[in-house]
Amino acid sequence: IRDRREVYKIPVEGRNNVFLKKYTSITIGMLLKLIFLKRTSEAKKEFDNILYISRLGVNTLTPLAYGERSVLGVPVESFLLTDSLEKIPRLEDIVAKYWNKFSLEKKNLIISSLADIVARLHKKNIFHKDLYLGHILFSDKDSESGLKFYLIDLQRIKEHNCRLERWRIKDLSSLNYSADLCGVGIKDRLKFLKKYCSMLNTSYKDYIAPVSRKTELIRKHTLKHFLRKNIRKKRRKK
């Protein structure tokens, strides 16, 4: 359970396990957006985002169904059902365990392939907004290039047509922070930034400072969140 979201693995006869993600409640802010801005439920939003990303040629989950429970026309609860990719490991786990054991060629291929995916989305002004290595699945089997990436946790993905630099830096900083946390050195992280910028025909030097600043903000925010969480746990035990 994470905040107002619950995730379950469900065995289904005749196929792989499926995942059920339930959004069990909404905040006042979310309710106001649903009423006045005509926003869709979290499950419907992620269902649509999965289809959208798939049409762009980016690997992700296979959506099976979604449903909503409405009160006075407002979807206050919702669920999403997707195929399971549980056998495919998260990129953060692979990087943390094997990055320093990979050959230079394999490292460069991972960096280049990942930069291509991120740049492809950003060229269309599409931003993940929660782009950590833990939200990318990675397989080095059964694909022509030998590598395959899957983007997951897509409920926050959105197309923006203004303040583009802000959203680019947010995605790049999230990746930079999680790569650093997994032990990826500055040279390889800079190599990723150079590759990404070359695909957008822009100078990587313009991104170094803002990405570094945002990375530090993410680090501080994560630490604060961790400390608050532990304080709450201690209070509950008392």
Side-chain angles (χ1 to χ4, degrees):
I1 300 175
R2 183 184 170 187
D3 299 325
R4 290 164 294 278
R5 189 178 73 186
E6 302 174 7
V7 181
Y8 302 94
K9 183 170 67 176
I10 304 173
V12 177
E13 190 176 349
R15 66 183 305 151
N16 292 331
N17 292 329
V18 299
F19 277 115
L20 171 66
K21 185 184 288 187
K22 292 174 64 179
Y23 294 92
T24 55
S25 63
I26 56 176
T27 64
I28 294 296
M30 291 166 69
L31 179 62
L32 293 175
K33 287 177 181 178
L34 287 166
I35 294 171
F36 296 109
L37 300 179
K38 306 297 183 184
R39 296 281 176 87
T40 58
S41 68
E42 294 300 300
K44 171 72 162 58
K45 191 190 305 179
E46 188 166 3
F47 185 90
D48 290 342
N49 284 342
I50 289 171
L51 294 178
Y52 186 31
I53 292 302
S54 297
R55 285 196 292 269
L56 295 176
V58 176
N59 299 312
T60 184
L61 302 163
T62 300
L64 301 176
Y66 77 90
E68 300 170 335
R69 184 179 76 83
S70 296
V71 176
L72 299 176
V74 178
V76 294
E77 292 182 355
S78 59
F79 75 86
L80 173 70
L81 208 60
T82 67
D83 252 341
S84 167
L85 293 177
E86 61 183 319
K87 292 183 180 178
I88 303 175
R90 292 178 185 264
L91 184 56
E92 70 173 355
D93 295 329
I94 296 296
V95 168
K97 290 179 184 176
Y98 303 112
W99 189 256
N100 292 324
K101 298 177 184 177
F102 285 157
S103 66
L104 179 61
E105 182 184 8
K106 187 163 186 176
K107 284 182 180 180
N108 287 341
L109 188 55
I110 291 172
I111 289 168
S112 179
S113 301
L114 190 55
D116 175 69
I117 292 170
V118 178
R120 206 187 317 163
L121 293 176
H122 286 187
K123 279 180 181 178
K124 294 184 177 294
N125 298 341
I126 300 166
F127 304 93
H128 190 282
K129 299 169 80 173
D130 206 16
L131 193 57
Y132 297 93
L133 294 183
H135 294 160
I136 303 168
L137 304 183
F138 172 78
S139 172
D140 55 3
K141 300 173 183 177
D142 302 325
S143 78
E144 292 179 6
S145 68
L147 304 178
K148 206 164 186 179
F149 298 88
Y150 298 81
L151 282 187
I152 61 172
D153 279 4
L154 303 182
Q155 64 268 27
R156 295 182 65 190
I157 274 192
K158 192 172 179 181
E159 181 177 347
H160 286 277
N161 294 307
C162 60
R163 303 181 71 185
L164 300 181
E165 287 299 294
R166 174 193 175 184
W167 301 116
R168 283 179 192 145
I169 289 165
K170 181 173 174 58
D171 275 358
L172 293 173
S173 301
S174 300
L175 274 178
N176 186 56
Y177 168 75
S178 54
D180 183 26
L181 211 60
C182 290
V184 179
I186 186 65
K187 282 188 178 180
D188 287 329
R189 286 184 280 130
L190 194 56
K191 196 180 289 184
F192 170 86
L193 187 61
K194 286 180 179 178
K195 185 68 178 177
Y196 164 87
C197 288
S198 71
M199 293 175 176
L200 267 67
N201 296 316
T202 187
S203 171
Y204 77 93
K205 292 178 182 178
D206 295 337
Y207 282 86
I208 292 175
V211 167
S212 296
R213 284 195 297 269
K214 183 65 176 176
T215 299
E216 287 309 306
L217 287 174
I218 293 171
R219 198 185 311 278
K220 289 176 183 176
H221 174 77
T222 304
L223 180 59
K224 278 184 185 177
H225 180 73
F226 174 78
L227 292 172
R228 279 189 201 135
K229 202 171 181 181
N230 277 279
I231 289 168
R232 286 193 200 111
K233 281 183 181 177
K234 287 178 182 177
R235 284 175 180 168
R236 283 178 196 143
K237 286 178 182 178
K238 289 178 181 179

